[in-house]
Amino acid sequence: MRLLAPVSLAWLGLVVPLVLLYVLRRRREERSVGSTLLWEAALRDLRAERPWRRLIPYLSLLLQILVLLAAAFALARPAGLGAAPSGAQVAVVIDRSASMATRTRLERAQEVARGLLGALPPGGRGMLVGAGRDALVEGALSSDQVALVRAVNALRVEGGRADLDAAVALAAERLAGAPSGSRVLLLTDGAEAGSVTVEGLAVPVEVRRVGAPADNTGLVALDVRADPSPGHPDRASLFVRLRRAAETPREVFVLASVGDALVASRRVELPARGERSLTLEADLPPDASGRAPFVSVRLTAAGGATAEPFDAQPLDDLRVAPSPGLRRLPVFLVGRRMPSVERVLRSDADVELFETTLARLAEREDDSPLDGLVIYAGELPAEAPPGDSIVVAPEQPSAFELQVGAEARGPRIVSWNEDDPRMRFVSMADVHLGMARPLRAPGARTLVETDVGPVVVAYERPSGETTFIGFDPARSDWPTQPSFVVFFRDLLERARMRRARGGVPAGGLGVPLSVPAPEGQEVTVTTPAGESLSARSRGGVALVSIGSEPGVYRVEAGGRSLAALRNLDALGEVDLQSRISLTGDGEASAHRIERAEDHRESWPWLALLGLVFVVLEAGWATRRGAA
Amino acid sequence: MNAVATVSSEEPGVEPSSSLLAPDFLRRLERLKLLARRRFRGAASGSRRARAKGSSAEFADHRPYSPGDDTRRIDWNAYARLGELVMRLYVAEQDLAVTLLLDRSASLGVGTPPKIQVAKRVAAALGYLGLSQGERVGVVPFADGVARPLEPGRGRGRVGKLLRYLDQVDVDGTTDLGRAVDSFLARRPRPGLVCVLSDLLDPGGFKRPLDRLISEGHEPAIFHILDAEELEPTPGGDFALIDVERGTRVEVSLDRHALAAYRARVSAFLADVEGYARARGLSYVRVGGDVDFEDALLTYLRS
């Protein structure tokens, strides 16, 4: 409980004159009478009749003091913690980590935030910061309480861990220079392993905990690998890892299913604060249309499927993964043959290779984009096709978005981008180029730089990405290097992963789906719970806001059926115990994380109490006799 | 000739004081006879029977003859029957000594109209009646002592003097009926009717002084002068009541409870006075409040 307008307690000073009014004699109209004998006797009778009568003035004084107390405290606006005094600014930071999905933690935080931002003090302004993977200002500093409450209501849990420290720092930085009494209020369940700096910032920081610590068991990993055998061509191994974040062991059931069909199950005894790994065997045949299925692994308390929540944290009780069949990547070789590239592709068992030409592709009756990786050698279409592609040794002055420079003889490689995932484990140190064309385009990412310019670049579009190689590998010694194989394997893996996710970039729970789609096209998403969402594409991408529910999100975009898999990817979120630490100036802070209270101002109750006292006092005043 | 004409013609200088008596009231008083319940020894013959045997025509008793007695009053018929000389005794008629013991203390100065005005009018009426019927009427104003009195006198010719005297009486001092009675009795007045006109609001009480009057052969008649506001105060308001005689101050809020307690005290006080008068066979008349003084006076005279 804090007072938002403590200066109003100055009204308590009225107690002094009030008491003085009682101490000083009341000014009465003087009236001459023949004799006061009878009056003196009458008053004696009155006092003798009611011996407590002399208390009445003091009772009246007591009631009036109580009225003053109630009124003064009401004006001081006593309210729950986190509230701000008049004219102050308050930034509410809400933890959006996965652990906040536990029971009603987020709802509780939203409730507290609504109470605070929906009842800003006079002249006050509020701000809402969402603390997810990134700290985002969800509601800008404003006095528009309706907009702030709307922003609070729109807040969703993300599947990852929250960078609370960055969020608090961002909020404090935005409030720098704010009037006295301004503060940052962090609402979190504290189920983060990190620390939050709460001292030495521009404004004071209050940390309030929502929810109580809870026991939890979660799925922390799921991998599906093909394991065919002569009798079971569709056999797959499901590698599952579970974690128990509680002080007691627990028996759980692990159920694997495809769609509604249960394909494997296992009973597992989990130790206290321990992990267990297990492997399930299951046949995962393609569905009737030949498409590979998605595998769901779920934790239940009983042997069968149940709709009841397994435990406090529902986000880690389900994981989904593509079946191995989905990993076979169609690769289309368009143009002239490149034996070195073909050799790499054929060495990958999960690649299905097609050789074709632009003319044959144009003759296709189905004009839908190719569902795989397209490698152009020599000839190119006018525009980049949707999906992923590789362009090798372009001969035209321009290739899609790029400008292709003049052919340079024997350029020397001067650097390569080791941080790019396409160049993972790729070293160009011993690669020599016989002939190459520099490639230039604004927005393109340079992967390999020569003394004549970039010769390997990547260009990402909402609908896909294209990797450009400005030279013919046959005119270099690169194919003889291991890095050549690794480079193409990286590109294949990247295309495979994108395809396995249905063309929708990966993301955590609660992160909007980014669906590539032509401008203005309507994209419809069906959530795992069957809810239908839609959004229209703008700038080549339709952003569809989704909840924090794990599972398979089915996407329909222009006749294409895509799928987006969402799993809890922050394993630390399985532990729902409060373990965050508060620091200040590099040392542990003396701050205590207290339980979040509602921002309920008590002044209406105090005002009501004061009114009751007034009524009582009026009752006494009208009923009492001589004072 | 009516009383008004008598007053105005015989006492031309009494107009200011004659306002004490309304002409209609005087005409009514003229027809009434002032009654006393006991017979008094009178210094002169009057229209009232006296306890002493006298020479009036009304037989009263016999007594043995003594030398020197008026032989005209020997009852010869009794001598014929009894053979002894006995004297016929007749009821002697004597005038009544009427003393108006008028309270002039400061407490009589309050009220609407002031109680002293009411008391003066009652005293004037009593005096007028007494003088009209040949009684000896005197006025003794008192507060904590006796002021210069109007000596007893007879005859209608004293009406003007009486009214002028009453008109000059002013309020002052505190009420002390005991001292006043003591001072009055110290003059050894002839026993008679003593009309006590007072509010009786005396811290020393009223019973002992009146008992003294009775024990000295007087017959007190109580004219209790009270103001309407004293009998029934107007409700509401916070007041500091100042006792005009003693200067004491009583703070009071005239609410329901306080008024009820006061009314109880007033009732007890009135009942005490009336009970006292009844117990001693005294006349008691309350004047003021809802009792008009003229009506009260007529009631007294007819009793």
Side-chain angles (χ1 to χ4, degrees), chain B residues 252-274:
Chain B
V252 64
S253 297
L254 297 181
D255 62 0
R256 186 162 51 90
H257 299 287
L259 288 177
Y262 179 76
R263 284 193 203 101
R265 272 291 167 177
V266 169
S267 297
F269 174 58
L270 295 178
D272 188 33
V273 178
E274 287 186 51

Side-chain angles (χ1 to χ4, degrees), chain A residues 108-388:
Chain A
R108 177 68 183 142
Q110 287 174 312
E111 188 181 350
V112 174
R114 272 194 297 269
L116 184 59
L117 296 177
L120 288 171
R125 294 198 293 170
M127 182 173 76
L128 177 66
V129 176
R133 295 180 184 85
D134 303 309
L136 293 176
V137 176
E138 304 286 354
L141 191 62
S142 161
S143 58
D144 186 350
Q145 302 179 18
V146 175
L148 290 170
V149 169
R150 196 184 304 127
V152 171
N153 293 338
L155 217 59
R156 296 285 182 272
V157 166
E158 282 189 358
R161 64 181 298 275
D163 192 347
L164 298 178
D165 195 44
V168 168
L170 171 66
E173 188 266 333
R174 292 294 175 93
L175 293 192
S180 172
S182 301
R183 67 197 65 242
V184 173
L185 174 65
L186 170 61
L187 297 171
T188 176
D189 59 358
E192 296 289 340
S195 63
V196 179
T197 303
V198 295
E199 291 177 353
L201 299 174
V203 290
V205 178
E206 292 178 9
V207 185
R208 301 286 168 250
R209 193 187 72 241
V210 291
D215 293 347
N216 188 41
T217 304
L219 291 163
V220 295
L222 169 64
D223 195 11
V224 183
R225 297 290 174 88
D227 188 15
S229 61
H232 301 281
D234 299 317
R235 176 60 56 89
S237 295
L238 283 61
F239 299 98
V240 181
R241 195 161 85 242
L242 304 93
R243 179 178 296 169
R244 174 71 176 156
E247 301 302 329
T248 56
R250 182 173 185 183
E251 180 187 83
V252 299
F253 287 84
V254 181
L255 307 181
S257 56
V258 174
D260 295 332
L262 185 66
V263 295
S265 68
R266 180 77 57 84
R267 189 181 70 181
V268 181
E269 188 74 30
L270 280 168
R273 293 231 160 257
E275 286 191 0
R276 281 288 302 276
S277 296
L278 67 150
T279 305
L280 301 175
E281 298 289 332
D283 289 325
L284 304 176
D287 61 12
S289 61
R291 298 182 70 87
F294 297 102
V295 181
S296 299
V297 174
R298 181 183 301 276
L299 293 182
T300 66
T306 173
E308 292 297 318
F310 171 67
D311 57 15
Q313 167 62 288
L315 302 187
D316 58 6
D317 298 336
L318 173 72
R319 291 192 81 85
V320 292
S323 73
L326 206 64
R327 291 181 61 82
R328 291 188 65 81
L329 176 69
V331 176
F332 302 89
L333 285 173
V334 182
R336 68 169 184 271
R337 300 196 57 179
M338 292 179 292
S340 59
V341 175
E342 286 181 27
R343 192 164 54 247
V344 173
L345 297 176
R346 291 185 193 283
S347 67
D348 191 328
D350 288 331
V351 167
E352 197 160 350
L353 198 60
F354 300 90
E355 293 183 6
T356 184
T357 62
L358 283 179
R360 288 169 62 185
L361 290 175
E363 292 171 359
R364 279 197 315 153
E365 293 182 357
D366 182 8
D367 59 352
S368 63
L370 297 174
D371 185 18
L373 176 65
V374 183
I375 300 178
Y376 297 99
E379 56 183 8
L380 289 172
E383 293 182 353
D388 293 349

Side-chain angles (χ1 to χ4, degrees), chain B residues 182-230:
Chain B
D182 289 345
S183 300
F184 169 66
L185 293 177
R187 296 168 179 262
R188 307 191 67 80
R190 198 175 75 187
L193 178 65
V194 179
C195 297
V196 180
L197 299 100
S198 171
D199 55 12
L200 301 180
L201 293 171
D202 186 349
F206 63 90
K207 293 178 182 175
R208 193 189 64 80
L210 295 183
D211 285 343
R212 280 211 65 201
L213 284 174
I214 295 169
S215 66
E216 292 294 328
H218 295 275
E219 178 183 342
I222 304 171
F223 290 84
H224 201 178
I225 312 296
L226 290 169
D227 182 55
E229 190 66 19
E230 287 176 329

